[in-house]
Amino acid sequence: MNRNVAARRRSGLRAAAAGLVLAVGLGVSAQMPAQASVPASAQSPTAVSKPAAAAPKSVTGTSGHVVTRVADFYGAYIDAKGDYENPDAALAKALRKHYLTPDFAKRLAAWEKKNGADGVLRAQNIPARWTVTDNGSMGHAHEVTVTLTFGSGKNAQKTKLFVLVERYNHISDIATKSAH
């Protein structure tokens, strides 16, 4: 092999190596801003991590499912009653007619007259939050637990209600003690 050819090859290799170093160097420097935006916990296990952004909230329901039905009722009822600028008494009444059995609606009206409170909420005011949880089947009916939270922070008070739903998805009772 000729010296000139060998020299050209070495210089070509050096140029390729220099290009590779330059490309790697640029790649690393180009990645630095992207790495700076990665939370510290992802960069190293010993780094102090920043709080992650809250995940979007979602609500899932199933058509005809008893827990979804009770959640739909309480959500719409609380919205109708709790709109402080324009509460919708007609909507609240329509929701009760749609979701409650006629017999229970009469018993609930009597309870409200006696206690001076809303029978669906078992309160005179509107809850800030509510949770609906399956409490199991009882043969002909299904019980769902509704936890209402009134107020917030240290002053928050919770009320637990047990909602009995008949097999045709109508609420047949609301009580403060479980039927189980």
Side-chain angles (χ1 to χ4, degrees):
M1 196 188 281
N2 183 331
R3 280 187 178 171
N4 288 338
V5 172
R8 273 188 259 150
R9 260 193 203 162
R10 276 193 299 267
S11 66
L13 287 173
R14 282 187 200 134
L20 181 60
V21 168
L22 183 61
V24 169
L26 286 176
V28 169
S29 66
Q31 290 178 8
M32 291 303 266
Q35 287 177 344
S37 67
V38 174
S41 61
Q43 291 178 7
S44 72
T46 57
V48 177
S49 63
K50 297 177 185 176
K57 295 189 184 229
S58 64
V59 176
T60 303
T62 303
S63 179
H65 189 269
V66 67
V67 176
T68 300
R69 187 158 177 89
V70 172
D72 290 346
F73 169 64
Y74 269 87
Y77 189 81
I78 290 167
D79 285 349
K81 298 285 283 190
D83 187 348
Y84 296 107
E85 293 177 12
N86 189 19
D88 194 339
L91 176 58
K93 185 177 179 180
L95 288 166
R96 288 168 76 134
K97 184 175 181 180
H98 180 73
Y99 283 94
L100 308 180
T101 64
D103 177 58
F104 178 57
K106 288 177 192 171
R107 288 187 288 124
L108 194 61
W111 185 96
E112 290 172 329
K113 188 174 182 178
K114 178 181 174 187
N115 292 284
D118 185 296
V120 171
L121 304 174
R122 294 294 200 261
Q124 293 176 334
N125 53 354
I126 307 301
R129 292 184 312 277
W130 61 95
T131 305
V132 180
T133 309
D134 193 346
N135 203 29
S137 180
M138 301 179 348
H140 69 286
H142 202 99
E143 189 174 70
V144 177
T145 304
V146 177
T147 305
L148 305 174
T149 304
F150 297 89
S152 62
K154 293 179 183 178
N155 298 326
Q157 294 182 1
K158 293 187 180 205
T159 299
K160 193 173 275 194
L161 302 175
F162 298 92
V163 178
L164 201 60
V165 181
E166 290 183 348
R167 66 179 179 194
Y168 298 112
N169 287 330
H170 286 92
I171 296 171
S172 60
D173 198 15
I174 298 171
T176 55
K177 292 185 181 178
S178 175
H180 284 285

